[in-house]
Amino acid sequence: MNGISWARKLVLVFFPVVAGASMAWAQMPSHVPIPKDNPQTPAKIELGKQLYFDPWASSTGTVSCNSCHNIMANGTDNRPVSMGVHGDLGDRNAPTVFNAAFRSVQFWDGRARSLEEQAKGPLMNPVEMGMPSEVVITARIKSIPGYRKEFDEVFGGPDPITFDHIAQAIASFERTLITSPSPYDRYRRGDKSALTSAAQRGLKLAQSAGCTTCHSGPMFNGPAEPMGTGFYMQFPLNSDNEYVKKYNLTADLGRFEVTHQDADKHMFVVQSWRNVEITAPYFHNGSVKSLDEAVRVMAKTQLNQTLTGAQVQDLVAFLDSLTGGFPHITMPRLPETPNTTPLGQ
Amino acid sequence: MNGISWARKLVLVFFPVVAGASMAWAQMPSHVPIPKDNPQTPAKIELGKQLYFDPWASSTGTVSCNSCHNIMANGTDNRPVSMGVHGDLGDRNAPTVFNAAFRSVQFWDGRARSLEEQAKGPLMNPVEMGMPSEVVITARIKSIPGYRKEFDEVFGGPDPITFDHIAQAIASFERTLITSPSPYDRYRRGDKSALTSAAQRGLKLAQSAGCTTCHSGPMFNGPAEPMGTGFYMQFPLNSDNEYVKKYNLTADLGRFEVTHQDADKHMFVVQSWRNVEITAPYFHNGSVKSLDEAVRVMAKTQLNQTLTGAQVQDLVAFLDSLTGGFPHITMPRLPETPNTTPLGQ
């Protein structure tokens, strides 16, 4: 996998415009990929919704998946890095959970090959949800009577409450978190009034400047890939500019932290542009507060271009046109623990 | 007000059985009291819901009203004391927000005379939501375009985003958080099968033992009082027992911390029994993990009685029959901050 991404990187760096021109943007995919071993069912999705919102999935009972991936907002926490149990800070910016079902790998370094794998990460991360072990997590869930009943109904078998099943239920719910078509999608379908003139200029500029080298495909995060594959790019590519130091962009070694191969140093999963308007702050370390500055940084570090103010405005107008609509969701009722509390169990 | 509560305390301590017998429990009130200066409107309730769930109401962007008063669960966090910004701990157990609209005063020490007053407290509490001043709070809300529009529509005027209006909107939403009738209410309406035999024994025991001295009225938290009045009781009344030391029940001086009058030492607002089943842990310091132990502690400290195991079980069965149904609520869509983040503003 690393070899593939490295080879692709070389191709893209040396032929950005050609590659960009050949990779058309498409509309939102019409179907969410569902893994064969975790089919969607209404009861599983509802269970996953409860787990997603349940702060008892964390050691302190204060942090849920939704704390950092807030689906009442944009699927993130809008913070540079997230704040987990005891107010501890993570080291990377929380990606939005909306449309995560379309990503072929999860996390900035692509270390999870599925939503199921991803869901397990924060639960066990000491500065996120802080659960010390799978055993403690499953014991906590087993201590809540309503969950025992639901897991039995959804998964059955002699031991329905397992770490795998917890992750499967959460992933099933996350696969329902898809945004509806954006103004850009309407434009692509023929409604030329869906984009402002600035957005239309931005669209053309994004293609001609070479942004599409990486931000291609229906999600603007690279070509469609089989689940588990990953599409990576070095960031920053060019380090001889003011932004790299100002925003501390080279401190994080990216995918190298997973593979420990030199070729993966500073390699990150290419991020989707969809809904990027509302997921500030930007980059793996969340160091850049505004989208216009993020656009300037990307142009300089990835394409060695210095944009004019008007160009930045146009690009931001185009990116803003990629914001979809968010689903209306009924709150789950979290299972109670009658006459006691889960804490200390 | 303090004089009244103190006089009542004397009456109740010396004539508990008589007082209990004379104060009938009633069914849930059919109407929520609405203050004249804060009428309910759908738009205000919706705005209040957004503010209630918005973590940007806290300094770090991580703690919302819902963090400690979780309406997807029981309106509390089920923790001994709440965990606020930076993982800091509060000093008292978070009361449930469900049916709070019926309380004549708010907080364990009754220091807020309305939901509006209460809503302001946690926002400014350094270990809860940690906002340093009203100016910072209103500036934060003003920095979010969607709120500017909504406050203008709901409140109008030259300066619609004020601390008072923020509190009014939140309080309006909270007045919708009412639980439906419990098995006990159905029993009172004539459905004798609504209570188990154990619950029926517990009901009689609660009356004969003297619990009704304080836990009277439709909410089982004292007689109906005009808003702002408060119904207080000393806790613990009897300190010469193992529980007081074990659960550190006298460390908190209660209402004395507000009035600094000796008569208010260890005086607390009498808590409702409704939904008490699911709001563990118990007491102002959340020191008692289970309802059966809470019942033993109350019998000993307030009535100087040592209950048998069977009596405790019956009382718990009765208390469990006071759990109502919870409303199904659609999640709010929190206003976005396009192309930027509120942090640091």
Side-chain angles (χ1 to χ4, degrees), chain B residues 84-99:
Chain B
V85 288
H86 305 295
D88 290 341
L89 293 174
D91 48 13
R92 289 191 184 138
N93 182 259
T96 177
V97 69
F98 281 104
N99 304 326

Side-chain angles (χ1 to χ4, degrees), chain B residues 60-140:
Chain B
T60 54
T62 60
V63 176
S64 69
C65 305
N66 194 67
S67 298
C68 305
H69 304 280
N70 190 346
I71 68 170
M72 296 184 201
N74 43 42
T76 81
D77 55 8
N78 279 128
R79 290 179 44 87
V81 294
S82 294
M83 193 171 259
V85 288
H86 305 295
D88 290 341
L89 293 174
D91 48 13
R92 289 191 184 138
N93 182 259
T96 177
V97 69
F98 281 104
N99 304 326
F102 293 122
R103 288 186 210 127
S104 69
V105 291
Q106 306 292 332
F107 294 115
W108 283 90
D109 52 25
R111 68 185 182 275
R113 295 162 58 91
S114 66
L115 284 174
E116 285 79 359
E117 261 187 63
Q118 191 281 329
K120 294 178 176 179
L123 286 162
M124 303 268 276
N125 188 314
V127 300
E128 296 184 15
M129 300 172 79
M131 292 298 251
S133 69
E134 294 184 24
V135 172
V136 173
I137 294 170
T138 52
R140 173 73 65 77

Side-chain angles (χ1 to χ4, degrees), chain B:
Chain B
M1 187 159 65
N2 173 56
I4 293 171
S5 63
W6 181 240
R8 180 175 294 121
K9 177 194 157 192
L10 288 176
V11 170
L12 298 178
V13 170
F14 289 102
F15 307 101
V17 177
V18 175
S22 69
M23 290 183 189
W25 294 327
Q27 294 182 48
M28 281 280 286
S30 56
H31 289 88
V32 176
I34 309 292
K36 282 185 183 157
D37 60 353
N38 190 22
Q40 302 280 90
T41 70
K44 194 194 289 175
I45 292 167
E46 185 61 31
L47 172 59
K49 189 205 279 188
Q50 292 169 20
L51 292 165
Y52 189 89
F53 276 96
D54 199 335
W56 284 120
S58 67
S59 59
T60 54
T62 60
V63 176
S64 69
C65 305
N66 194 67
S67 298
C68 305
H69 304 280
N70 190 346
I71 68 170
M72 296 184 201
N74 43 42
T76 81
D77 55 8
N78 279 128
R79 290 179 44 87
V81 294
S82 294
M83 193 171 259
V85 288
H86 305 295
D88 290 341
L89 293 174
D91 48 13
R92 289 191 184 138
N93 182 259
T96 177
V97 69
F98 281 104
N99 304 326
F102 293 122
R103 288 186 210 127
S104 69
V105 291
Q106 306 292 332
F107 294 115
W108 283 90
D109 52 25
R111 68 185 182 275
R113 295 162 58 91
S114 66
L115 284 174
E116 285 79 359
E117 261 187 63
Q118 191 281 329
K120 294 178 176 179
L123 286 162
M124 303 268 276
N125 188 314
V127 300
E128 296 184 15
M129 300 172 79
M131 292 298 251
S133 69
E134 294 184 24
V135 172
V136 173
I137 294 170
T138 52
R140 173 73 65 77
I141 299 300
K142 285 175 184 175
S143 78
I144 299 175
Y147 280 135
R148 291 201 295 272
K149 186 165 174 289
E150 285 188 81
F151 273 84
D152 191 44
E153 286 166 3
V154 169
F155 294 103
D159 187 21
I161 300 183
T162 64
F163 198 36
D164 280 341
H165 288 166
I166 291 169
Q168 285 185 344
I170 293 172
S172 290
F173 171 61
E174 290 176 333
R175 291 196 174 92
T176 70
L177 301 176
I178 307 298
T179 56
S180 64
S182 65
Y184 166 79
D185 296 298
R186 292 196 290 279
Y187 179 83
R188 278 292 301 268
R189 287 182 202 163
D191 177 4
K192 296 304 173 194
S193 71
L195 294 194
T196 63
S197 337
Q200 293 186 38
R201 288 194 302 270
L203 184 160
K204 285 179 191 152
L205 179 56
Q207 291 174 312
S208 63
C211 310
T212 46
T213 301
C214 299
H215 294 285
S216 61
M219 301 309 289
F220 301 83
N221 66 346
E225 307 256 14
M227 281 292 150
T229 309
F231 179 62
Y232 302 89
M233 178 50 64
Q234 184 177 322
F235 175 75
L237 257 182
N238 310 310
S239 296
D240 57 344
N241 58 73
E242 60 179 320
Y243 297 123
V244 171
K245 189 173 178 192
K246 182 175 181 184
Y247 297 117
N248 198 24
L249 297 178
T250 50
D252 187 330
L253 296 181
R255 190 161 168 73
F256 173 84
E257 303 287 358
V258 181
T259 65
H260 302 289
Q261 297 191 25
D262 279 346
D264 282 331
K265 276 190 180 162
H266 306 295
M267 295 291 276
F268 291 94
V269 172
V270 173
Q271 298 296 303
S272 173
W273 277 353
R274 289 192 180 272
N275 306 319
V276 70
E277 173 191 22
I278 53 176
T279 58
Y282 299 101
F283 303 130
H284 57 271
N285 60 2
S287 58
V288 172
K289 185 172 168 175
S290 68
L291 188 54
D292 55 352
E293 182 73 346
V295 164
R296 280 188 287 268
V297 171
M298 286 301 279
K300 192 67 189 174
T301 63
Q302 304 308 95
L303 303 166
N304 202 23
Q305 294 183 32
T306 304
L307 301 173
T308 67
Q311 286 176 316
V312 172
Q313 281 184 14
D314 288 348
L315 284 166
V316 168
F318 170 60
L319 293 171
D320 286 358
S321 81
L322 290 167
T323 304
F326 290 83
H328 289 276
I329 303 173
T330 305
M331 289 182 198
R333 283 298 315 156
L334 301 184
E336 307 293 355
T337 54
N339 303 327
T340 187
T341 163
L343 207 63
Q345 282 174 322

